[in-house]
Amino acid sequence: MPKNDWVVFTIANKEDEELVPPVVKICMDKNVSYTCSAGTLAHWTEQYFDEEITGQALDYEMQTKKEFDYEFSPVTTAHQNFSEGFWFASTLAHDPYNEIDKVVCLDFTHRKVKKHLTVLIDKINNGWLPSDEEIELAEYDN
């Protein structure tokens, strides 16, 4: 995993739940700048990232006796639609303080989405934009 200035795109479903907490901790330790989550656990994964950010902020405040500046914390998002989530992670995820040049995809599922991601990368590189229906459609694309 990169050491800073990167986006993580996670894909997790209910059966993958036990994998999320340790990976969130690793991502935070590696200074992830932006998190985008998809799969049936998208909102839960985003919430777990938010809780880890808050926990680290409280630790910082207790150790330094200074107020934590959330301005420099990772931004977290959850996406109902897999394709739209990856499009967002690879095109819109932005850190105003650092140039993000890497998207790391962490697939916790047994679906093996590598082929689908390869097709999406080609579509995105050729100007594809998700439709309003895709943004709202709660489905895991195959």
Side-chain angles (χ1 to χ4, degrees):
M1 280 191 205
K3 293 184 180 178
N4 54 18
D5 306 337
W6 59 291
V7 175
V8 66
F9 178 66
T10 62
I11 307 104
N13 292 327
K14 184 67 178 159
E15 63 272 15
D16 314 308
E17 188 172 342
E18 76 280 352
L19 300 173
V20 173
V23 172
V24 166
K25 178 84 170 102
I26 291 168
C27 290
M28 293 298 297
D29 290 345
K30 296 286 187 175
N31 299 311
V32 66
S33 296
Y34 215 110
T35 75
C36 300
S37 302
T40 58
L41 287 181
H43 292 286
W44 186 82
T45 304
E46 179 190 24
Q47 182 179 351
Y48 208 89
F49 270 107
D50 291 340
E51 289 173 6
E52 185 65 27
I53 291 165
T54 302
Q56 287 186 4
L58 292 173
D59 288 345
Y60 172 85
E61 288 179 350
M62 290 177 71
Q63 291 174 4
T64 66
K65 307 298 184 218
K66 296 178 185 175
E67 188 174 334
F68 184 79
D69 187 352
Y70 284 93
E71 181 76 17
F72 298 99
S73 294
V75 174
T76 64
T77 62
H79 303 267
Q80 293 181 12
N81 182 278
F82 176 87
S83 294
E84 183 275 331
F86 182 72
W87 170 82
F88 184 94
S90 61
T91 62
L92 293 182
H94 172 74
D95 180 341
Y97 303 104
N98 301 297
E99 183 173 340
I100 295 175
D101 59 359
K102 294 170 223 61
V103 177
V104 175
C105 298
L106 298 178
D107 179 15
F108 301 120
T109 72
H110 299 284
R111 293 179 185 249
K112 309 294 182 203
V113 298
K114 182 178 179 180
K115 183 178 178 182
H116 187 60
L117 287 172
T118 303
V119 170
L120 275 173
I121 290 168
D122 187 50
K123 286 170 60 174
I124 291 166
N125 286 340
N126 286 300
W128 174 79
L129 298 171
S131 68
D132 288 342
E133 179 180 282
E134 287 169 313
I135 292 170
E136 297 300 323
L137 186 61
E139 93 175 17
Y140 193 105
D141 307 3
N142 290 319

